[in-house]
Amino acid sequence: MKKFIFALLIGLCFSLNAFAQTLTAKANRTNVPQGETFLLTLDYDGANTSETPDFSVLDKDFTIYSISNSFQSRYVNGNVSQLRQWQ
């Protein structure tokens, strides 16, 4: 019975880690004069998703020249992490 409970707790710990998701936005400059360009980066750390954020809300105040994305999947010491990035 103890082995069953231990295995259940270990499985629960791994499954909780799999549901952890974060979205981080950052710019490559802190001060941007009007009319200057900057790079906005969105990092999504969580489950693999093929969905793209809706950037149309930025069209009112910004000119978007291009959007690129990348995907990384890592398996280190039994832990899987996935990162999708849009720039």
Side-chain angles (χ1 to χ4, degrees), residues 13-31:
C13 289
F14 283 116
S15 66
L16 289 177
N17 190 28
F19 293 116
Q21 300 174 1
T22 59
L23 180 66
T24 306
K26 56 188 170 194
N28 67 334
R29 297 168 55 181
T30 54
N31 295 319

Side-chain angles (χ1 to χ4, degrees), residues 17-57:
N17 190 28
F19 293 116
Q21 300 174 1
T22 59
L23 180 66
T24 306
K26 56 188 170 194
N28 67 334
R29 297 168 55 181
T30 54
N31 295 319
V32 182
Q34 187 172 354
E36 293 284 324
T37 61
F38 67 97
L39 181 66
L40 176 67
T41 302
L42 296 177
D43 291 331
Y44 176 70
D45 186 8
N48 184 12
T49 181
S50 60
E51 296 180 28
T52 301
D54 181 14
F55 293 106
S56 66
V57 297

